[in-house]
Amino acid sequence: LEKHVSVTVMVGQPVSWVTVQYMVAEAQYGGRITDDLDRELFITYTAKWFCDDIFKTTFTFNNYQAEYNYKIPEGLEIQQYRDGI
């Protein structure tokens, strides 16, 4: 997975999210999921969360009305991530 993403970025190509989704949901983790419905749920989460949308500032992991919107913190400093938690 890391090799695929880094090589793709190094040659200036867009990330193939379908490939990343397959590698995560089927190859690396999906093979350890024994229940068919759990596997379908994991594939659904992977399709939702491994895409270009995660880089948008409006992206949240929950797209419904809630007290808190779970999102990826902006910035590169560790404190920004800790504040997000």
Side-chain angles (χ1 to χ4, degrees):
L1 176 65
E2 180 182 354
K3 183 177 180 181
H4 167 72
V5 172
S6 61
V7 168
T8 302
V9 171
M10 286 176 55
V11 297
Q13 295 294 317
V15 173
S16 169
W17 289 110
V18 173
T19 304
V20 171
Q21 292 165 5
Y22 176 80
M23 291 172 128
V24 171
E26 297 290 343
Q28 292 183 344
Y29 297 105
R32 296 187 176 115
I33 300 172
T34 57
D35 184 79
D36 289 338
L37 292 176
D38 288 344
R39 181 176 288 118
E40 284 297 319
L41 180 62
F42 190 64
I43 290 169
T44 301
Y45 283 145
T46 305
K48 170 75 175 153
W49 294 346
F50 288 85
C51 61
D52 282 329
D53 290 346
I54 63 172
F55 296 108
K56 296 178 182 174
T57 57
T58 58
F59 178 82
T60 59
F61 288 100
N62 56 325
N63 58 353
Y64 51 85
Q65 191 70 2
E67 291 182 24
Y68 183 80
N69 288 323
Y70 296 93
K71 61 182 184 173
I72 300 171
E74 293 185 41
L76 300 175
E77 299 297 322
I78 189 70
Q79 191 58 46
Q80 292 168 307
Y81 285 86
R82 289 180 178 152
D83 293 342
I85 295 172

Coordinates of all heavy atoms in Angstrom, one line a residue:
L1 N 0.8 -1.2 0.0 CA 0.0 0.0 0.0 C 0.9 1.3 0.0 O 0.7 2.1 -0.8 CB -0.9 0.0 1.2 CG -1.8 1.2 1.4 CD1 -2.8 1.4 0.3 CD2 -2.6 1.1 2.7
E2 N 1.8 1.3 0.9 CA 2.7 2.5 1.0 C 3.5 2.6 -0.3 O 3.7 3.7 -0.8 CB 3.7 2.3 2.2 CG 4.6 3.5 2.3 CD 5.6 3.4 3.5 OE1 5.5 2.4 4.2 OE2 6.5 4.2 3.6
K3 N 4.0 1.5 -0.8 CA 4.8 1.6 -2.1 C 3.9 2.1 -3.2 O 4.3 2.9 -4.0 CB 5.3 0.2 -2.4 CG 6.2 0.2 -3.7 CD 6.8 -1.1 -3.9 CE 7.7 -1.1 -5.2 NZ 8.3 -2.4 -5.5
H4 N 2.7 1.6 -3.3 CA 1.8 2.0 -4.4 C 1.5 3.5 -4.3 O 1.7 4.2 -5.3 CB 0.5 1.3 -4.3 CG -0.6 1.9 -5.2 ND1 -0.6 1.8 -6.5 CD2 -1.7 2.6 -4.9 CE1 -1.6 2.4 -7.0 NE2 -2.3 2.9 -6.0
V5 N 1.2 4.0 -3.1 CA 0.9 5.4 -3.0 C 2.2 6.3 -3.2 O 2.1 7.3 -4.0 CB 0.3 5.7 -1.6 CG1 0.2 7.2 -1.4 CG2 -1.0 5.0 -1.5
S6 N 3.3 5.9 -2.7 CA 4.5 6.8 -2.8 C 5.0 6.8 -4.3 O 5.4 7.8 -4.8 CB 5.6 6.3 -1.9 OG 6.0 5.0 -2.1
V7 N 5.0 5.6 -5.0 CA 5.4 5.6 -6.4 C 4.4 6.4 -7.2 O 4.9 7.1 -8.1 CB 5.5 4.1 -6.8 CG1 5.6 4.0 -8.4 CG2 6.6 3.4 -6.2
T8 N 3.1 6.3 -7.0 CA 2.2 7.0 -7.7 C 2.4 8.5 -7.6 O 2.4 9.3 -8.6 CB 0.7 6.7 -7.3 OG1 0.5 5.3 -7.4 CG2 -0.3 7.4 -8.1
V9 N 2.6 9.0 -6.4 CA 2.8 10.4 -6.1 C 4.2 10.8 -6.7 O 4.3 11.9 -7.3 CB 2.8 10.7 -4.6 CG1 3.3 12.1 -4.3 CG2 1.4 10.4 -4.1
M10 N 5.2 10.0 -6.6 CA 6.5 10.4 -7.2 C 6.5 10.6 -8.7 O 7.2 11.4 -9.2 CB 7.6 9.3 -6.8 CG 8.0 9.4 -5.4 SD 9.1 8.0 -4.9 CE 10.4 8.2 -6.0
V11 N 5.7 9.8 -9.4 CA 5.6 10.0 -10.9 C 4.6 11.0 -11.3 O 4.4 11.2 -12.5 CB 5.4 8.6 -11.6 CG1 6.6 7.7 -11.3 CG2 4.1 8.0 -11.2
G12 N 3.9 11.6 -10.3 CA 3.0 12.7 -10.6 C 1.6 12.2 -11.1 O 0.9 13.0 -11.7
Q13 N 1.3 11.0 -10.8 CA 0.0 10.5 -11.1 C -1.0 10.6 -10.0 O -0.6 10.6 -8.8 CB 0.1 9.0 -11.5 CG 0.9 8.8 -12.8 CD 0.2 9.4 -14.0 OE1 -1.0 9.2 -14.2 NE2 1.0 10.0 -14.8
P14 N -2.3 10.7 -10.2 CA -3.3 10.7 -9.1 C -3.3 9.3 -8.5 O -3.1 8.3 -9.1 CB -4.6 11.1 -9.8 CG -4.4 10.7 -11.2 CD -2.9 10.9 -11.5
V15 N -3.6 9.3 -7.2 CA -3.7 8.1 -6.5 C -5.0 7.3 -7.0 O -6.0 7.9 -7.2 CB -3.9 8.3 -4.9 CG1 -4.2 7.1 -4.2 CG2 -2.7 9.0 -4.4
S16 N -4.8 6.0 -7.2 CA -5.9 5.2 -7.6 C -6.6 4.7 -6.4 O -6.2 3.8 -5.7 CB -5.4 3.9 -8.4 OG -6.4 3.0 -8.6
W17 N -7.7 5.4 -6.0 CA -8.4 5.1 -4.8 C -9.0 3.7 -4.8 O -9.2 3.1 -3.8 CB -9.4 6.2 -4.5 CG -8.7 7.5 -4.0 CD1 -8.6 8.6 -4.7 CD2 -7.9 7.7 -2.8 NE1 -7.9 9.6 -4.0 CE2 -7.4 9.0 -2.9 CE3 -7.6 6.9 -1.8 CZ2 -6.7 9.5 -1.9 CZ3 -6.9 7.4 -0.7 CH2 -6.4 8.7 -0.8
V18 N -9.4 3.3 -6.0 CA -10.0 1.9 -6.1 C -9.0 0.9 -5.7 O -9.3 0.0 -5.0 CB -10.5 1.7 -7.6 CG1 -10.9 0.3 -7.7 CG2 -11.6 2.6 -7.9
T19 N -7.7 1.1 -6.1 CA -6.6 0.2 -5.7 C -6.4 0.3 -4.2 O -6.2 -0.8 -3.6 CB -5.3 0.6 -6.5 OG1 -5.6 0.5 -7.9 CG2 -4.2 -0.4 -6.1
V20 N -6.3 1.5 -3.7 CA -6.1 1.6 -2.2 C -7.3 1.0 -1.4 O -7.0 0.2 -0.5 CB -6.0 3.1 -1.8 CG1 -6.0 3.3 -0.3 CG2 -4.7 3.7 -2.5
Q21 N -8.5 1.2 -1.9 CA -9.6 0.6 -1.2 C -9.6 -0.9 -1.2 O -9.8 -1.6 -0.2 CB -10.9 1.1 -1.9 CG -11.2 2.5 -1.7 CD -12.3 3.1 -2.6 OE1 -12.9 2.3 -3.4 NE2 -12.5 4.4 -2.6
Y22 N -9.2 -1.5 -2.4 CA -9.1 -2.9 -2.5 C -8.0 -3.4 -1.6 O -8.1 -4.4 -0.8 CB -8.8 -3.4 -3.9 CG -8.6 -4.8 -4.0 CD1 -9.6 -5.7 -4.1 CD2 -7.3 -5.4 -4.1 CE1 -9.4 -7.1 -4.1 CE2 -7.1 -6.7 -4.1 CZ -8.2 -7.6 -4.2 OH -7.9 -8.9 -4.2
M23 N -6.8 -2.8 -1.6 CA -5.7 -3.2 -0.7 C -6.1 -3.2 0.7 O -5.7 -4.1 1.5 CB -4.5 -2.3 -1.0 CG -3.9 -2.5 -2.4 SD -2.6 -1.3 -2.6 CE -1.3 -2.3 -3.2
V24 N -6.8 -2.2 1.2 CA -7.2 -2.1 2.6 C -8.3 -3.0 2.9 O -8.2 -3.8 3.9 CB -7.5 -0.6 3.0 CG1 -8.1 -0.6 4.4 CG2 -6.3 0.3 2.9
A25 N -9.4 -3.0 2.2 CA -10.6 -3.7 2.5 C -10.6 -5.2 2.2 O -11.3 -5.9 2.8 CB -11.8 -3.0 1.8
E26 N -9.8 -5.6 1.2 CA -9.8 -7.0 0.8 C -8.5 -7.7 1.2 O -8.5 -8.7 1.7 CB -10.1 -7.1 -0.7 CG -11.4 -6.5 -1.1 CD -12.6 -7.4 -0.7 OE1 -12.3 -8.6 -0.3 OE2 -13.7 -6.9 -0.7
A27 N -7.4 -7.1 0.8 CA -6.1 -7.7 0.9 C -5.5 -7.7 2.4 O -5.2 -8.7 3.0 CB -5.1 -7.2 0.0
Q28 N -5.4 -6.5 2.9 CA -4.7 -6.3 4.2 C -5.6 -6.7 5.4 O -5.2 -7.4 6.3 CB -4.1 -4.9 4.4 CG -3.0 -4.7 3.4 CD -2.4 -3.3 3.6 OE1 -2.9 -2.5 4.2 NE2 -1.2 -3.2 3.0
Y29 N -6.8 -6.1 5.5 CA -7.7 -6.3 6.6 C -8.9 -7.2 6.3 O -9.3 -8.0 7.2 CB -8.1 -5.0 7.2 CG -7.0 -4.2 7.7 CD1 -6.5 -3.1 7.0 CD2 -6.3 -4.5 8.9 CE1 -5.4 -2.3 7.5 CE2 -5.2 -3.8 9.4 CZ -4.8 -2.7 8.6 OH -3.8 -2.0 9.1
G30 N -9.4 -7.1 5.1 CA -10.6 -7.8 4.8 C -10.5 -9.3 4.9 O -11.5 -10.0 5.3
G31 N -9.4 -9.8 4.7 CA -9.2 -11.3 4.8 C -9.3 -11.8 6.2 O -9.5 -13.0 6.4
R32 N -9.2 -10.9 7.2 CA -9.3 -11.3 8.6 C -10.7 -11.2 9.1 O -11.0 -11.6 10.2 CB -8.4 -10.4 9.4 CG -6.9 -10.6 9.0 CD -6.0 -9.9 10.0 NE -4.6 -10.2 9.7 CZ -3.8 -9.3 9.2 NH1 -4.1 -8.0 9.1 NH2 -2.5 -9.6 9.0
I33 N -11.6 -10.6 8.3 CA -13.0 -10.5 8.7 C -13.8 -11.7 8.3 O -13.8 -12.0 7.1 CB -13.6 -9.2 8.1 CG1 -12.9 -7.9 8.5 CG2 -15.1 -9.1 8.5 CD1 -13.3 -6.7 7.9
T34 N -14.4 -12.4 9.2 CA -15.0 -13.7 8.9 C -16.5 -13.6 8.7 O -17.1 -14.4 8.0 CB -14.8 -14.7 10.1 OG1 -15.3 -14.1 11.3 CG2 -13.3 -15.0 10.2
D35 N -17.1 -12.5 9.2 CA -18.6 -12.4 9.0 C -18.8 -11.6 7.7 O -18.2 -10.5 7.5 CB -19.2 -11.6 10.2 CG -20.7 -11.5 10.0 OD1 -21.4 -12.5 10.3 OD2 -21.2 -10.4 9.7
D36 N -19.7 -12.1 6.8 CA -20.0 -11.4 5.5 C -20.5 -10.0 5.7 O -20.2 -9.1 4.9 CB -21.0 -12.3 4.7 CG -20.3 -13.5 4.2 OD1 -19.1 -13.6 4.1 OD2 -21.1 -14.5 3.9
L37 N -21.4 -9.8 6.6 CA -22.0 -8.5 6.8 C -20.9 -7.5 7.4 O -20.9 -6.3 7.0 CB -23.2 -8.5 7.8 CG -24.4 -9.2 7.2 CD1 -25.5 -9.3 8.2 CD2 -24.9 -8.5 5.9
D38 N -20.1 -8.0 8.3 CA -19.0 -7.1 8.7 C -18.0 -6.7 7.6 O -17.6 -5.6 7.5 CB -18.2 -7.8 9.8 CG -18.9 -7.9 11.1 OD1 -19.9 -7.2 11.3 OD2 -18.5 -8.8 12.0
R39 N -17.8 -7.7 6.7 CA -16.9 -7.4 5.5 C -17.6 -6.3 4.6 O -16.9 -5.4 4.2 CB -16.7 -8.7 4.7 CG -15.8 -8.4 3.5 CD -15.4 -9.7 2.8 NE -14.4 -10.4 3.5 CZ -14.7 -11.7 4.0 NH1 -15.8 -12.3 3.7 NH2 -13.8 -12.3 4.7
E40 N -18.9 -6.5 4.4 CA -19.6 -5.5 3.6 C -19.5 -4.1 4.2 O -19.4 -3.1 3.6 CB -21.1 -5.9 3.4 CG -21.2 -7.0 2.4 CD -20.8 -6.6 1.0 OE1 -21.1 -5.4 0.6 OE2 -20.1 -7.4 0.3
L41 N -19.7 -4.0 5.6 CA -19.6 -2.8 6.3 C -18.2 -2.2 6.1 O -18.1 -1.0 5.9 CB -20.0 -3.0 7.7 CG -19.9 -1.7 8.6 CD1 -20.9 -0.7 8.1 CD2 -20.2 -2.1 10.1
F42 N -17.2 -3.0 6.3 CA -15.8 -2.5 6.2 C -15.5 -2.0 4.8 O -14.9 -1.0 4.6 CB -14.8 -3.6 6.6 CG -13.4 -3.1 6.7 CD1 -13.1 -2.2 7.7 CD2 -12.4 -3.6 5.9 CE1 -11.8 -1.8 7.8 CE2 -11.1 -3.1 6.0 CZ -10.8 -2.2 7.0
I43 N -16.0 -2.7 3.8 CA -15.9 -2.2 2.4 C -16.6 -0.9 2.2 O -16.0 0.0 1.5 CB -16.4 -3.3 1.4 CG1 -15.5 -4.5 1.4 CG2 -16.5 -2.7 0.0 CD1 -16.0 -5.7 0.7
T44 N -17.7 -0.7 2.8 CA -18.5 0.6 2.7 C -17.7 1.7 3.4 O -17.6 2.8 2.8 CB -19.9 0.4 3.4 OG1 -20.6 -0.6 2.7 CG2 -20.6 1.7 3.3
Y45 N -17.2 1.5 4.6 CA -16.4 2.5 5.2 C -15.1 2.8 4.4 O -14.7 4.0 4.3 CB -15.9 2.0 6.6 CG -17.0 2.1 7.7 CD1 -17.1 1.1 8.7 CD2 -17.9 3.1 7.7 CE1 -18.0 1.2 9.7 CE2 -18.9 3.2 8.7 CZ -18.9 2.2 9.7 OH -19.9 2.3 10.6
T46 N -14.5 1.8 3.8 CA -13.3 2.0 3.0 C -13.6 2.9 1.8 O -12.9 3.8 1.5 CB -12.7 0.7 2.6 OG1 -12.4 -0.1 3.8 CG2 -11.4 0.9 1.9
A47 N -14.7 2.6 1.2 CA -15.1 3.4 0.0 C -15.4 4.9 0.4 O -15.1 5.8 -0.4 CB -16.3 2.8 -0.7
K48 N -16.0 5.1 1.5 CA -16.3 6.4 2.0 C -15.1 7.2 2.5 O -15.0 8.4 2.2 CB -17.4 6.3 3.1 CG -17.7 7.5 3.9 CD -18.5 8.5 3.1 CE -18.9 9.7 4.0 NZ -19.1 10.8 3.2
W49 N -14.2 6.5 3.1 CA -13.1 7.2 3.8 C -11.8 7.2 3.0 O -10.9 8.0 3.3 CB -12.9 6.6 5.2 CG -14.0 6.9 6.1 CD1 -15.1 7.7 5.9 CD2 -14.2 6.2 7.3 NE1 -15.9 7.7 7.0 CE2 -15.4 6.7 7.9 CE3 -13.5 5.3 8.0 CZ2 -15.9 6.3 9.1 CZ3 -14.1 4.8 9.2 CH2 -15.3 5.4 9.8
F50 N -11.6 6.4 2.0 CA -10.4 6.4 1.2 C -10.7 6.9 -0.2 O -10.9 6.2 -1.1 CB -9.8 5.0 1.1 CG -9.2 4.5 2.4 CD1 -9.9 4.0 3.4 CD2 -7.8 4.7 2.6 CE1 -9.4 3.6 4.6 CE2 -7.2 4.3 3.8 CZ -8.0 3.7 4.8
C51 N -10.7 8.2 -0.3 CA -11.1 8.9 -1.6 C -10.5 10.3 -1.5 O -10.0 10.8 -0.5 CB -12.6 8.9 -1.8 SG -13.5 9.8 -0.5
D52 N -10.6 11.0 -2.6 CA -10.2 12.4 -2.7 C -10.9 13.3 -1.7 O -10.3 14.4 -1.3 CB -10.3 13.0 -4.1 CG -9.2 12.4 -5.1 OD1 -8.1 12.2 -4.6 OD2 -9.5 12.3 -6.3
D53 N -12.1 13.0 -1.4 CA -12.9 13.9 -0.5 C -12.2 14.1 0.9 O -12.5 15.1 1.5 CB -14.3 13.3 -0.3 CG -15.1 13.4 -1.5 OD1 -14.7 14.1 -2.5 OD2 -16.2 12.7 -1.6
I54 N -11.4 13.2 1.3 CA -10.8 13.3 2.7 C -9.9 14.5 2.7 O -9.5 15.0 3.8 CB -10.1 12.0 3.1 CG1 -8.9 11.7 2.2 CG2 -11.0 10.9 3.3 CD1 -8.0 10.6 2.7
F55 N -9.4 15.0 1.6 CA -8.5 16.2 1.6 C -9.3 17.5 1.5 O -8.6 18.6 1.6 CB -7.6 16.1 0.4 CG -6.7 14.9 0.5 CD1 -6.8 13.8 -0.4 CD2 -5.6 14.8 1.4 CE1 -6.0 12.7 -0.3 CE2 -4.8 13.7 1.5 CZ -5.0 12.6 0.7
K56 N -10.6 17.5 1.4 CA -11.4 18.7 1.4 C -11.6 19.1 2.9 O -11.8 18.3 3.8 CB -12.7 18.4 0.8 CG -12.6 18.1 -0.7 CD -14.0 17.8 -1.3 CE -13.9 17.5 -2.7 NZ -15.2 17.1 -3.3
T57 N -11.5 20.4 3.1 CA -11.7 20.9 4.5 C -13.1 20.7 5.0 O -13.3 20.7 6.2 CB -11.4 22.4 4.6 OG1 -12.2 23.1 3.6 CG2 -9.9 22.7 4.2
T58 N -14.1 20.4 4.1 CA -15.4 20.2 4.6 C -15.7 18.7 4.9 O -16.8 18.4 5.4 CB -16.4 20.6 3.5 OG1 -16.1 19.9 2.3 CG2 -16.3 22.1 3.2
F59 N -14.7 17.8 4.7 CA -14.9 16.4 4.9 C -15.1 16.1 6.4 O -14.3 16.6 7.2 CB -13.7 15.6 4.4 CG -13.9 14.1 4.6 CD1 -14.6 13.3 3.8 CD2 -13.2 13.5 5.7 CE1 -14.8 12.0 4.0 CE2 -13.4 12.2 6.0 CZ -14.1 11.4 5.1
T60 N -16.1 15.3 6.7 CA -16.2 14.8 8.1 C -16.6 13.3 7.9 O -17.1 12.8 7.0 CB -17.4 15.5 8.8 OG1 -18.6 15.3 8.1 CG2 -17.1 16.9 9.0
F61 N -16.2 12.5 8.9 CA -16.4 11.1 8.9 C -17.9 10.8 9.2 O -18.4 9.8 8.7 CB -15.6 10.4 10.0 CG -14.1 10.3 9.6 CD1 -13.2 11.2 10.1 CD2 -13.7 9.4 8.7 CE1 -11.9 11.2 9.7 CE2 -12.4 9.4 8.3 CZ -11.4 10.2 8.8
N62 N -18.6 11.7 9.9 CA -20.0 11.5 10.0 C -20.7 12.6 9.2 O -20.5 13.8 9.4 CB -20.4 11.6 11.5 CG -19.9 12.8 12.2 OD1 -18.9 13.4 11.9 ND2 -20.7 13.3 13.1
N63 N -21.6 12.2 8.4 CA -22.3 13.2 7.5 C -23.7 13.4 8.0 O -24.6 13.5 7.2 CB -22.2 12.8 6.0 CG -22.8 11.4 5.8 OD1 -23.2 10.7 6.7 ND2 -22.9 11.1 4.5
Y64 N -24.0 13.3 9.2 CA -25.3 13.5 9.8 C -25.2 14.5 11.0 O -24.1 14.8 11.4 CB -25.8 12.2 10.4 CG -24.9 11.4 11.3 CD1 -24.8 11.7 12.6 CD2 -24.0 10.5 10.8 CE1 -23.9 11.1 13.4 CE2 -23.1 9.8 11.6 CZ -23.1 10.1 12.9 OH -22.2 9.5 13.7
Q65 N -26.3 15.0 11.4 CA -26.3 16.0 12.5 C -25.9 15.4 13.8 O -26.4 14.3 14.2 CB -27.8 16.6 12.6 CG -27.9 17.8 13.5 CD -27.3 19.0 12.9 OE1 -26.8 19.0 11.7 NE2 -27.3 20.1 13.6
A66 N -24.8 16.0 14.4 CA -24.3 15.4 15.6 C -23.7 16.5 16.4 O -23.5 17.6 15.9 CB -23.2 14.4 15.3
E67 N -23.5 16.2 17.7 CA -22.8 17.2 18.6 C -21.4 17.5 18.1 O -20.9 18.6 18.4 CB -22.8 16.7 20.0 CG -24.2 16.7 20.6 CD -24.2 16.2 22.1 OE1 -23.1 16.4 22.7 OE2 -25.2 15.7 22.5
Y68 N -20.8 16.6 17.5 CA -19.4 16.8 17.1 C -19.2 16.1 15.7 O -19.7 15.0 15.5 CB -18.4 16.1 18.1 CG -17.0 16.3 17.8 CD1 -16.3 17.5 18.1 CD2 -16.2 15.3 17.1 CE1 -15.0 17.7 17.8 CE2 -14.9 15.5 16.8 CZ -14.3 16.7 17.2 OH -13.0 16.9 16.8
N69 N -18.5 16.8 14.9 CA -18.2 16.3 13.5 C -16.8 15.8 13.5 O -15.8 16.5 13.8 CB -18.3 17.4 12.5 CG -19.8 17.7 12.2 OD1 -20.6 16.8 12.2 ND2 -20.1 19.0 12.0
Y70 N -16.6 14.5 13.3 CA -15.3 13.9 13.3 C -14.6 14.2 12.0 O -15.2 13.8 10.9 CB -15.4 12.4 13.6 CG -16.0 12.1 14.9 CD1 -17.4 11.9 15.1 CD2 -15.2 12.0 16.0 CE1 -17.9 11.6 16.4 CE2 -15.7 11.7 17.3 CZ -17.0 11.6 17.4 OH -17.5 11.3 18.7
K71 N -13.5 14.8 12.1 CA -12.8 15.2 10.8 C -11.3 15.0 11.0 O -10.8 14.9 12.2 CB -13.1 16.6 10.4 CG -12.8 17.7 11.4 CD -13.2 19.0 11.0 CE -12.7 20.1 12.0 NZ -12.9 21.4 11.5
I72 N -10.6 15.1 9.9 CA -9.1 15.1 10.0 C -8.6 16.4 10.4 O -8.9 17.4 9.7 CB -8.5 14.6 8.6 CG1 -9.1 13.2 8.3 CG2 -7.0 14.6 8.7 CD1 -8.8 12.8 6.9
P73 N -7.8 16.6 11.4 CA -7.2 17.9 11.8 C -6.3 18.4 10.7 O -5.7 17.7 10.0 CB -6.4 17.6 13.0 CG -6.9 16.3 13.6 CD -7.4 15.5 12.4
E74 N -6.4 19.8 10.6 CA -5.5 20.4 9.6 C -4.2 20.7 10.2 O -4.0 20.9 11.4 CB -6.1 21.7 9.1 CG -7.4 21.6 8.4 CD -8.0 22.9 7.8 OE1 -7.1 23.7 7.4 OE2 -9.2 23.1 7.9
G75 N -3.1 20.7 9.3 CA -1.8 21.0 9.8 C -0.9 19.8 9.9 O -1.4 18.6 9.8
L76 N 0.3 20.0 10.3 CA 1.3 19.0 10.4 C 1.9 18.8 11.8 O 2.6 17.9 12.1 CB 2.5 19.2 9.4 CG 2.1 19.2 8.0 CD1 3.3 19.6 7.1 CD2 1.5 17.9 7.5
E77 N 1.5 19.7 12.7 CA 2.0 19.7 14.1 C 1.2 18.7 14.9 O 0.0 18.6 14.8 CB 2.0 21.1 14.7 CG 2.8 22.1 14.0 CD 4.3 21.8 14.0 OE1 4.8 21.3 15.0 OE2 4.9 22.0 12.9
I78 N 1.9 18.0 15.8 CA 1.3 17.0 16.6 C 0.3 17.6 17.5 O -0.8 17.0 17.8 CB 2.3 16.2 17.4 CG1 1.7 15.0 18.1 CG2 3.0 17.0 18.4 CD1 1.2 13.9 17.2
Q79 N 0.5 18.8 18.0 CA -0.5 19.5 18.9 C -1.8 19.7 18.2 O -2.9 19.6 18.9 CB 0.1 20.8 19.4 CG -0.7 21.4 20.6 CD -0.8 20.4 21.8 OE1 0.1 19.8 22.2 NE2 -2.1 20.2 22.2
Q80 N -1.8 20.0 16.9 CA -3.1 20.2 16.2 C -3.9 18.9 16.2 O -5.1 18.9 16.3 CB -2.8 20.6 14.8 CG -2.2 22.0 14.7 CD -1.7 22.4 13.4 OE1 -0.9 21.7 12.8 NE2 -2.2 23.5 12.8
Y81 N -3.2 17.7 16.1 CA -3.9 16.5 16.2 C -4.4 16.1 17.6 O -5.5 15.6 17.8 CB -3.0 15.3 15.7 CG -2.9 15.4 14.2 CD1 -1.9 16.2 13.5 CD2 -3.7 14.6 13.4 CE1 -1.8 16.2 12.1 CE2 -3.6 14.7 12.0 CZ -2.7 15.5 11.4 OH -2.6 15.5 10.0
R82 N -3.6 16.5 18.6 CA -4.0 16.3 20.0 C -5.2 17.1 20.3 O -6.1 16.7 21.0 CB -2.9 16.6 20.9 CG -1.8 15.5 20.8 CD -0.6 15.9 21.8 NE 0.4 14.8 21.7 CZ 1.7 15.0 22.0 NH1 2.1 16.2 22.3 NH2 2.5 14.0 21.9
D83 N -5.2 18.4 19.8 CA -6.4 19.2 20.1 C -7.6 18.7 19.4 O -8.7 18.9 19.9 CB -6.1 20.7 19.6 CG -5.0 21.4 20.4 OD1 -4.7 20.9 21.5 OD2 -4.4 22.4 19.8
G84 N -7.5 18.1 18.2 CA -8.6 17.5 17.5 C -9.2 16.3 18.3 O -10.4 16.0 18.1
I85 N -8.4 15.6 19.1 CA -8.9 14.5 19.8 C -9.6 14.9 21.0 O -10.6 14.5 21.4 CB -7.7 13.6 20.2 CG1 -7.0 13.0 19.0 CG2 -8.2 12.5 21.1 CD1 -5.7 12.2 19.3

